[in-house]
Amino acid sequence: MKAKFIEEKVFKVFMIAAMLMVFAFVISIIWTIVEKGWGAMSWDMVTKLPGGGFYIGKEGGFLNAIVGSLYIVGASTLLGLLISIPVVFYLNVYLKRNSKLGYVARLAYDVLFGIPSIVYGAFGFTIMIYFGLRTSLLGGIIVVTLLIIPIFIRSMDEVARQFPRDILEAAYSLGATRLETIKVVLRQIAPGIATATLLSVGRAIGDAAGVMFTAGYTDSIPTSLSQPAATLPLAVFFQMSSPVREVQERAYAAALVLTLIVLVLSLGGRFITNRFSKNKIK
C-alpha cells in the first residue's frame, strides 16, 4: 500500500509539473508578443492600409490583413457549418450506430483532420492552375473551408454520438419524423457546435500555408471574390522576414492583433457554450 501511495504522489507531481510547464509556455508566448508588439502598436496600424515605403519602416498599417482575415474566416466558417451539420446529422440520425458507411466516413475525416494545411493549399493551387484561376479571395475561402470541415465534423460528431439513443427512439415512437427529431438533436449538440466553431475559427485565422498559395497577398482591401486578399499570418511572415527592425516590430504588432482576435473569439465561444449547455439533457 505504501508503494502505491508513493507512486500516486510521484505521478501527481509529474502531472502538476507538466501543467505548470504548459502554462509557462503560454504565458511566455503571450508576454513576448505583448512586450514586442505593444511598442509598435498604434491607431494607424489597425486603421490604415500600407503606404509607400511601409515595408521599409515608413507610414501605413495592416488594415488590409485584418479585413482579409475576417473575410476569409467568416465566409469559410459559414460554408463549413452549412456542409458539416447535415453530414453529422446523417451519420448520427439516419445511419445505424454500427454502420460500415459511418465507420469509413469517420475514418476518412480523421485522416483529413491530420493533413497539414500546406497540403490543402497545394491541392487548391493545383486545381486553380487546372482551371486557369488566379490567387483570389475566393480561392482562400475554398481552401480554408476544406481545411476546417474535418474539424467541424469530427468535433460535432463526438458530441452527437454521446446523445442518448433512447431519446431518438422516444421521438420516433411519438410519431415524430426524422426532420423533427433533428431539431431535438440540434438543441442538444449546440454546445458541441459552438466548440467546433471555436476550434475551426482558431485554426482558420492562424493558417498561413494554405492561403499563401490560393489567396495571395495585396496591400489593398479586396472588393470582389476574384481579387487577392491579405491575411494577418502572412503579414506577420512577410514583415518578420524584413531586415528592417521597425518592420519586424510591426510583425509583432500584427501578431498581437491576431492574438486579441483569437482571445475575443475564445471568450465568446465559451459564453455561447455555457449558455447552450443549460438546455442539454443530462
Side-chain angles (χ1 to χ4, degrees):
M1 292 295 294
K2 186 176 180 180
K4 291 183 178 180
F5 178 77
I6 295 175
E7 182 181 4
E8 180 180 351
K9 289 293 184 182
V10 169
F11 278 98
K12 184 177 180 180
V13 170
F14 284 156
M15 288 187 289
I16 295 175
M19 181 188 67
L20 293 176
M21 186 180 300
V22 172
F23 184 73
F25 282 145
V26 173
I27 295 299
S28 176
I29 293 172
I30 295 177
W31 175 258
T32 301
I33 294 174
V34 173
E35 181 185 23
K36 295 187 176 182
W38 188 257
M41 183 64 68
S42 66
W43 185 245
D44 289 345
M45 285 292 104
V46 296
T47 59
K48 291 185 178 181
L49 299 176
F54 175 76
Y55 297 101
I56 57 173
K58 294 186 179 180
E59 73 278 355
F62 44 78
L63 177 63
N64 58 321
I66 297 175
V67 176
S69 292
L70 295 178
Y71 278 170
I72 292 177
V73 171
S76 61
T77 301
L78 180 60
L79 287 175
L81 282 172
L82 292 176
I83 296 172
S84 303
I85 291 178
V87 173
V88 172
F89 284 144
Y90 182 76
L91 290 174
N92 292 276
V93 177
Y94 283 81
L95 289 182
K96 296 180 179 179
R97 183 174 289 272
N98 297 323
S99 171
K100 291 183 179 180
L101 177 60
Y103 173 80
V104 173
R106 290 184 174 95
L107 178 62
Y109 287 120
D110 282 338
V111 174
L112 292 173
F113 187 93
I115 293 178
S117 62
I118 193 170
V119 177
Y120 284 97
F123 172 75
F125 184 67
T126 302
I127 299 300
M128 292 172 66
I129 291 178
Y130 179 79
F131 287 102
L133 302 176
R134 303 173 65 179
T135 54
S136 62
L137 176 62
L138 178 61
I141 291 172
I142 292 175
V143 167
V144 174
T145 301
L146 294 175
L147 175 67
I148 64 178
I149 281 177
I151 304 175
F152 269 126
I153 293 178
R154 292 306 288 131
S155 300
M156 290 188 290
D157 181 60
E158 288 299 322
V159 178
R161 293 180 74 179
Q162 304 300 320
F163 185 75
R165 302 293 294 186
D166 294 341
I167 297 179
L168 294 179
E169 296 174 359
Y172 292 143
S173 66
L174 293 173
T177 63
R178 284 181 172 175
L179 182 59
E180 292 171 336
T181 305
I182 284 176
K183 296 179 181 179
V184 179
V185 178
L186 178 61
R187 191 176 183 84
Q188 296 304 309
I189 69 172
I193 295 177
T195 302
T197 303
L198 176 62
L199 293 173
S200 301
V201 168
R203 184 169 183 184
I205 200 171
D207 176 58
V211 294
M212 180 184 295
F213 289 113
T214 55
Y217 196 86
T218 179
D219 288 343
S220 59
I221 297 176
T223 56
S224 69
L225 293 175
S226 60
Q227 295 180 350
T231 58
L232 282 170
L234 289 182
V236 174
F237 173 75
F238 290 135
Q239 293 176 43
M240 188 62 71
S241 302
S242 173
V244 181
R245 181 183 176 186
E246 290 80 0
V247 180
Q248 293 179 357
E249 292 176 350
R250 291 174 179 177
Y252 284 102
L256 178 58
V257 172
L258 181 60
T259 303
L260 291 175
I261 292 175
V262 173
L263 178 61
V264 170
L265 292 173
S266 299
L267 294 176
R270 293 294 181 185
F271 173 78
I272 295 174
T273 301
N274 293 334
R275 181 162 185 171
F276 279 122
S277 296
K278 298 178 181 179
N279 301 320
K280 190 173 181 181
I281 298 176
K282 302 297 183 179

